[in-house]
Amino acid sequence: MPAMLRTVLVLLLGLPAAHAQASAPLQLQSPDGRNSVTFELDADGAPLWSVARDGQAVIAPSPLGVRLGGGEPIAQGLRLAGSRASEADEPYELVAGKSREGRDHYRQLEVELATTDGRILGLVLRAYDDGVALRYRLPRPARGDLVVDGELTGFLFPRDFACHALNLGRFGTSHEGEFDPVAASRIRPHHLLGLPLVCATGEGSTTFAIAEADLDRYAGLYLAGRGDGRPGVEARLSPRLDEPGVAVRLPRGEVDAGGHPTPWRVLMLGDSPGALVESDLVARLNPPTPIADTSWIRPGKSAWDWWSGGLAPDVPEPGMNTATIRRYIDHAAALGLEYMLIDDGWYVGSSGDGRYNPRADITRPVPGLDLEGLIAYARQRGVGIWLWAHWKSLQPRLDQVFAHYARLGVKGVKVDFMERDDQQMVAFFHEMMRASARHRLMLNLHGAYHPTGLHRTWPQFLTQEGVLGAEYNKWSRRITPEHNLTLPFTRMLLGPMDYTPGGFRNATPEQFRISFKGPQVMGTRAHQLAMYVVYDSPLQMVADSPDAYVDAPGAEFIARVPASWDETRVLDGAIGSHIATARRAGRDWYIGAMANQARSMELDLGFLPAADYTLTLWRDGATPTDVVREQRRIDADHRRIRLELAAGGGAVLHLQAVPLRIAASD
């Protein structure tokens, strides 16, 4: 039986203090013994939890609890009614993503907390080698709906940690912004932080990130500073649109007798920022997929007409028409891309600028666009078609539209502009997952809330936005090399991100000019190439116009790099500074390196299986658009390589094992 971790949970049910009962601390440890969680009830019957790594405090004793509708948020008066420890160790496979195989190995503590009127609040705590997680089981109401106004879940910090935070400032956004450095003591109660919040403890190199997982029939989680001025954050829940003071409302009949499980509150833990990048804890905490046959789910790369402004210089009248899209399909075929995404403007009533038109017909292409002919042409060229859709046009007839797209032979749908994570929008996400699975359509969600690991349960959900990505080059100077080096250690921890790399109009920050059509990107072309290895996205855009890649240095790397991986290792990195990521696809390894400022990077390749390798390297040249390609052999004893990266630069490597030659016997 695993050691039990000290953990305390608080329920806000307004119970009299006279019934409070302190409990002896319960302790839970991760399988490797490095992470520990403590739960206890204090003298007032208030539950508290704390977390340590290698004996050093990461989360100081912090409150737990929920504020149920109509009840006073009193986190006291609870009695420990029972607890149970268990352990699990199960392998699992992912259809697409940063790794093919995973291991769900944890120790668990379930606690039951009793109120004076006989209700039971459940608390489930898990300790993994790469983090800890907790969730509540909310008591089924005796009558009426289960209503949740908020949570009291807290994360108090024992010291003033150095953090990176996305301060959205309000609910109802597309979760697109910078993760800025901030001291924990400077996070205020009026701030509204999107997930994840990433902090360094200052003890060794321990880094942690606060996230959530398995978000279903609930409201999205945000974080805010504490009103008492202590360093740390506490939970905020996205309110319902129809009841601004309520986060969750569930009919009693939809609540299990054993209680309603909330999403997991996750604390990712690692010895370095790169260790968090390697972790799949957020996905792991979601249920396995119910899809038995996943053969139709195919990761890949896609040509895309929107980012460049539909540029097609060799088409007489470029725009949303058959000739232009046909040119992009030819471009996809020439580069060996699996897909072509036809974006906003393709259906009758769509504006091309994202505005919702209630009279739009999401099933009928605009005049001049032979959609069925284009799908057939793309199929002949080995290219699948994706279509864009505004969610408001899709929602009223979700199954009907998906069935129509499937009959046409469409492979996937990009759904856009949800920009909410209240309970109703979370429910719509799950409706899309079920419907797309029924009709065998893959999904890419834009204008979407932060990932919560849903792609494990629904692997056809290949990628999503919820990131300040390359589209902002079209109208701002916000997509800097420093921002690009912040994303892997912040937003990307939660799951795939559709940043849309591949800009080939490369410029230094000083030379960069804003252009809506044919936009430039800051940094070198090798910096862009490295994104195809560094950034997780089983559907990767190749964002620029077809002409940008014709005979262009580096285009051949885009043609060969995979979009999904069997294994991921972060070799080096620091938030906002640099990163080197190695990924395996079959027997081949790819390494992507990116830097904000010019630097030398010496990479240890000791992780490679013993063999000789052919190494192909693409690195920075003399100008931002230059790419130098080199090829050489690495023998089995050579396990280090040095890279010289320019400011805003990068490099990519493809390592192929050399087959052993066996001499023929006499």
Side-chain angles (χ1 to χ4, degrees):
M1 187 68 69
M4 299 177 66
L5 171 66
R6 294 167 29 201
T7 301
V8 178
L9 176 61
V10 174
L11 174 64
L12 308 170
L13 293 177
L15 301 177
H19 295 277
Q21 178 180 328
S23 67
L26 302 176
Q27 191 172 26
L28 182 69
Q29 289 184 333
S30 59
D32 66 1
R34 298 186 63 190
N35 300 327
S36 63
V37 183
T38 301
F39 171 84
E40 58 189 339
L41 290 172
D42 69 12
D44 294 322
L48 303 170
W49 76 304
S50 57
V51 178
R53 181 171 174 83
D54 296 331
Q56 300 294 325
V58 177
I59 300 297
S62 303
L64 297 168
V66 293
R67 189 168 60 247
L68 299 181
E72 288 295 321
I74 301 174
Q76 60 183 22
L78 299 176
R79 177 178 58 84
L80 183 62
S83 65
R84 183 173 71 91
S86 60
E87 184 169 358
D89 190 358
E90 296 288 340
Y92 61 90
E93 289 192 0
L94 296 172
V95 176
K98 69 175 73 174
S99 60
R100 173 66 64 176
E101 298 177 346
R103 182 184 180 190
D104 195 17
H105 189 195
Y106 61 85
R107 290 173 176 170
Q108 180 168 288
L109 176 65
E110 297 175 74
V111 177
E112 292 186 344
L113 300 170
T115 71
T116 54
D117 60 2
R119 287 179 291 176
I120 297 293
L121 174 70
L123 176 67
V124 184
L125 295 127
R126 284 187 183 176
Y128 291 86
D129 291 349
D130 54 349
V132 301
L134 68 89
R135 76 188 323 172
Y136 305 105
R137 291 193 177 275
L138 306 180
R140 186 180 188 182
R143 63 185 65 84
D145 297 340
L146 172 63
V147 177
V148 179
D149 293 342
E151 283 188 22
L152 294 184
T153 309
F155 303 83
L156 275 69
F157 303 155
R159 294 175 301 284
D160 190 9
F161 295 152
C163 302
H164 279 76
L166 171 63
N167 184 18
L168 296 169
R170 62 183 177 88
F171 301 108
T173 77
S174 56
H175 290 250
E176 297 170 7
E178 291 86 354
F179 285 82
D180 294 320
V182 60
S185 61
R186 305 294 293 178
I187 301 174
R188 305 304 188 200
H190 61 272
H191 293 163
L192 195 63
L193 308 183
L195 301 179
L197 175 64
V198 181
C199 303
T201 67
E203 295 289 344
S205 53
T206 297
T207 305
F208 70 85
I210 300 173
E212 70 174 327
D214 195 15
L215 175 59
D216 187 12
R217 297 191 298 164
Y218 211 74
L221 175 68
Y222 294 77
L223 301 171
R226 295 180 52 80
D228 60 9
R230 297 177 62 187
V233 292
E234 56 191 20
R236 297 283 188 273
L237 298 181
S238 186
R240 291 174 59 97
L241 291 188
D242 55 351
E243 297 179 272
V246 170
V248 178
R249 179 180 291 277
L250 285 172
R252 183 177 181 275
E254 295 183 12
V255 180
D256 294 338
H260 178 69
T262 69
W264 291 101
R265 279 59 185 104
V266 183
L267 190 73
M268 303 174 70
L269 288 162
D271 291 336
S272 66
L276 302 188
V277 179
E278 295 176 355
S279 171
D280 68 343
L281 182 57
V282 172
R284 198 184 317 150
L285 285 161
N286 281 257
T289 181
I291 303 175
D293 177 13
T294 60
S295 61
W296 54 276
I297 302 171
R298 297 181 180 273
K301 303 183 293 291
S302 179
W304 183 32
D305 64 302
W306 183 86
W307 187 79
S308 66
L311 290 180
D314 45 354
V315 174
E317 296 183 14
M320 188 54 73
N321 55 53
T322 298
T324 300
I325 301 304
R326 191 180 177 107
R327 176 66 186 91
Y328 277 80
I329 292 170
D330 290 341
H331 154 55
L335 269 187
L337 310 182
E338 291 83 357
Y339 301 111
M340 164 59 196
L341 167 62
I342 306 175
D343 212 277
D344 188 9
W346 75 266
Y347 58 79
V348 171
S350 55
S351 59
D353 60 6
R355 286 179 294 177
Y356 169 63
N357 179 0
R359 295 180 295 277
D361 186 345
I362 199 171
T363 64
R364 191 156 54 95
V366 295
L369 186 75
D370 179 10
L371 181 61
E372 291 191 37
L374 287 167
I375 292 172
Y377 178 71
R379 185 184 302 115
Q380 294 170 2
R381 304 227 58 194
V383 176
I385 294 295
W386 284 62
L387 295 177
W388 181 93
H390 196 292
W391 81 275
K392 288 185 178 180
S393 297
L394 177 64
Q395 184 188 34
R397 45 181 184 151
L398 181 61
D399 260 305
Q400 177 188 347
V401 171
F402 278 1
H404 175 70
Y405 290 170
R407 284 193 297 270
L408 290 177
V410 171
K411 300 300 182 183
V413 186
K414 174 182 173 181
V415 186
D416 208 343
F417 289 103
M418 283 78 73
E419 298 180 338
R420 289 164 34 203
D421 56 0
D422 51 75
Q423 183 189 359
Q424 297 101 316
M425 182 54 73
V426 170
F428 178 59
F429 270 50
H430 283 266
E431 289 172 14
M432 283 192 288
M433 299 301 142
R434 292 188 291 269
S436 63
R438 283 193 295 271
H439 299 290
R440 295 194 163 202
L441 291 170
M442 293 174 283
L443 287 176
N444 175 9
L445 303 186
H446 271 228
Y449 58 79
H450 58 257
T452 61
L454 194 57
H455 59 281
R456 182 189 177 192
T457 307
W458 302 107
Q460 81 277 18
F461 178 22
L462 289 185
T463 193
Q464 68 161 91
E465 200 179 28
V467 62
L468 188 73
E471 66 179 358
Y472 279 77
N473 286 293
K474 293 166 69 72
W475 55 77
S476 81
R477 298 182 57 88
R478 295 172 66 181
I479 308 303
T480 64
E482 181 180 10
H483 173 70
N484 294 338
L485 268 302
T486 301
L487 290 177
F489 303 102
T490 53
R491 159 61 181 84
M492 202 180 77
L493 301 181
L494 304 182
M497 62 179 194
D498 194 18
Y499 172 97
T500 67
F504 264 34
R505 294 171 172 87
N506 315 96
T508 65
E510 296 76 20
Q511 296 169 332
F512 176 84
R513 298 292 181 269
I514 296 172
S515 176
F516 193 82
K517 281 200 170 188
Q520 294 182 334
V521 293
M522 291 187 197
T524 70
R525 183 165 298 174
H527 188 83
Q528 289 286 314
L529 296 180
M531 293 177 182
Y532 287 95
V533 181
V534 171
Y535 289 173
D536 290 327
S537 186
L539 178 69
Q540 282 280 28
M541 294 298 114
V542 179
D544 224 323
S545 57
D547 58 296
Y549 302 100
V550 176
D551 298 325
E556 70 275 16
F557 177 77
I558 293 178
R560 74 165 73 179
V561 65
S564 190
W565 307 96
D566 296 318
E567 186 178 349
T568 292
R569 295 172 180 263
V570 177
L571 308 181
D572 192 8
I575 301 177
S577 171
H578 64 283
I579 191 170
T581 302
R583 300 189 193 263
R584 180 177 61 84
R587 296 186 64 204
D588 288 8
W589 284 88
Y590 293 79
I591 298 176
M594 300 167 62
N596 179 14
Q597 302 298 326
R599 69 182 300 118
S600 295
M601 297 180 69
E602 185 170 339
L603 304 182
D604 184 353
L605 305 183
F607 62 90
L608 293 173
D612 292 348
Y613 289 85
T614 298
L615 181 151
T616 308
L617 167 68
W618 294 260
R619 61 174 176 83
D620 296 322
T623 70
T625 56
D626 285 345
V627 178
V628 177
R629 186 177 186 270
E630 301 174 358
Q631 193 168 39
R632 59 181 181 267
R633 189 180 177 112
I634 296 181
D635 63 43
D637 298 324
H638 185 83
R639 284 295 181 263
R640 305 194 77 84
I641 187 168
R642 179 175 292 277
L643 300 176
E644 300 294 334
L645 307 184
V652 288
L653 297 81
H654 181 198
L655 294 131
Q656 297 169 286
V658 178
L660 293 175
R661 294 183 179 179
I662 302 176
S665 59
D666 294 335

